[in-house]
Amino acid sequence: MKKVARAWAPASLSNLGPGFDALGAAISGLGDTVSVERTSRLGITVDFDPLGVWMGPTDAPSNTAAVAARHVASASGFDWNTDGGLHLTIRKGLAAGTGLGSSAASAVSAAVATEALLGVQLSEKDMIAAVVAGEGATSGQGHADNVLPSLMGGFVLMRSAHPTDFLRTEGWEELSLLIALPDAEVLTREARKALPTTIPLSRAVDHAARLALMVAALEGKDVAGLGTWMMSDDIVIPARRHLWPWLDDLAGAALGAGAAGCTISGSGPAVVACCRQHDNDDPQMAIRKALEHQMERAGLKGSVSMHHIDNHGALLLDGDQAISWRTGKRLPKPNP
Ligand code: HSE
């Protein structure tokens, strides 16, 4: 019987324009690690590794990782009040409130580590339910647009209320992502309060058509189409625009430097630009510089980083080995 298990899960982009609450993508180079340990003290407890980049509240009932772990334990028939306790240590590789799926990365790595610790293999449906519940602890709603990509890698589109109906696409080696992350925190729970509660039928039809075109671009690995449609949301971004006064200028700078598209990720503040990487013409450095320059001009503190799509999703960390949750394949270990 294992005493401790550890897992890593990537950060993710979400919404990507008209894919509000339905579309997300896992990104390389950023993620959270969660260790889950059996303890003699009953219950589920949480703390944060001080070596991580962020530490949050350790109130276990509402902690996203603890909620996901609890669901996995429960679905495995493990009772933390009688069978022995579980202690989670979360090492954050990204801060909360960035729009890059920070809570999802914690929920997913906690679920994967708990499953390994308990020596069970839950159905895909039960794992999805566990990570969606974990995400719900943070946002107040169980949308799956960050947790599914974080669990499975690639781009994932799913019906929010029915997270087992999903479409996943991977690959995208030629896609470069530039992420501008201003030093600001936007809480998803708050950003959701800015949303309209109803929309006219004609706008719903228009929105559905835009998302359909986005899906066609995803299926065709069409970077220009992806860029165009990620900028086409006419419902959610207009309602939240006041939360991100930097968006238009950053998007203008990225597009001017050759980006195929640029939009907000999730509820922000992160802004993501994309471009196609070619051997002879690689605009990513020019876009990075343009974003950095624009942030400086606007007096915005923060960073700009370069990423790719992470096609693997969550990894179980076992000594020197990293094992994909989705495929069971051994892969290179991510940076802590
Ligand atoms: N789809 C969610 C939202 C993602 O936009 O509220 C939060 O990052």
Side-chain angles (χ1 to χ4, degrees):
M1 189 197 285
K2 270 184 189 290
K3 173 105 177 66
V4 60
R6 216 155 55 92
W8 177 91
S12 50
L13 306 169
S14 59
N15 296 353
L16 295 167
F20 173 70
D21 273 4
L23 178 63
I27 54 173
S28 65
L30 264 184
D32 286 355
T33 305
V34 174
S35 302
V36 186
E37 195 180 350
R38 290 177 193 270
T39 59
S40 48
R41 188 178 143 195
L42 298 178
I44 297 182
T45 50
V46 179
D47 70 9
F48 284 83
D49 183 337
L51 292 176
V53 302
W54 188 85
M55 293 172 78
T58 55
D59 173 27
S62 60
N63 179 282
T64 182
V67 172
R70 197 159 60 228
H71 271 73
V72 171
S74 190
S76 313
F78 178 88
D79 185 343
W80 52 92
N81 289 316
T82 54
D83 298 339
L86 299 175
H87 181 71
L88 278 63
T89 305
I90 305 170
R91 182 165 176 167
K92 297 291 296 177
L94 67 157
T98 54
L100 297 174
S102 169
S103 54
S106 290
V108 169
S109 36
V112 170
T114 305
E115 188 191 37
L117 180 76
L118 300 179
V120 291
Q121 194 168 10
L122 295 190
S123 66
E124 186 176 84
K125 187 166 168 255
D126 281 345
M127 277 301 267
I128 291 175
V131 295
V132 171
E135 171 68 59
T138 301
S139 64
Q141 285 177 23
H143 53 87
D145 50 347
N146 289 110
V147 282
L148 254 67
S150 194
L151 183 64
M152 301 181 170
F155 281 89
V156 186
L157 178 126
M158 79 298 301
R159 290 172 66 201
S160 246
H162 299 276
T164 46
D165 294 344
F166 66 86
L167 177 81
R168 177 177 174 277
T169 163
E170 64 174 39
W172 293 95
E173 284 76 16
E174 290 191 343
L175 181 68
S176 274
L177 300 165
L178 290 299
I179 296 181
L181 183 58
D183 261 352
E185 188 185 37
V186 179
L187 294 176
T188 301
R189 197 182 281 272
E190 293 306 313
R192 294 186 85 81
K193 293 183 185 158
L195 299 175
T197 49
T198 57
I199 53 166
L201 180 63
S202 57
R203 285 183 80 193
V205 170
D206 180 55
H207 191 79
R210 292 172 197 225
L211 181 55
L213 288 162
M214 168 70 123
V215 171
L218 287 175
E219 288 288 284
K221 301 275 188 299
D222 169 7
V223 175
L226 170 69
T228 300
W229 297 111
M230 76 197 267
M231 294 190 291
S232 74
D233 166 48
D234 197 26
I235 294 175
V236 175
I237 290 184
R240 288 175 166 173
R241 195 172 285 280
H242 61 283
L243 299 172
W244 323 299
W246 48 82
L247 174 60
D248 289 346
D249 288 341
L250 285 178
L255 295 174
C262 185
T263 190
I264 205 84
S265 178
S267 54
V271 169
V272 57
C274 69
C275 67
R276 183 153 181 242
Q277 248 181 310
H278 304 265
D279 287 343
N280 305 325
D281 169 25
D282 186 352
Q284 64 173 337
M285 286 310 295
I287 301 168
R288 180 183 194 156
K289 281 201 186 105
L291 287 168
E292 283 170 348
H293 182 65
Q294 180 53 38
M295 283 178 73
E296 204 179 308
R297 250 177 65 169
L300 269 179
K301 288 200 171 21
S303 60
V304 180
S305 51
M306 298 197 284
H307 303 263
H308 288 100
I309 293 297
D310 172 314
N311 286 305
H312 304 300
L315 303 175
L316 182 64
L317 305 176
D318 191 6
D320 284 345
Q321 314 269 0
I323 300 155
S324 159
W325 174 84
R326 193 177 65 82
T327 63
K329 279 195 188 144
R330 292 187 190 283
L331 296 163
K333 249 176 102 169
N335 290 328

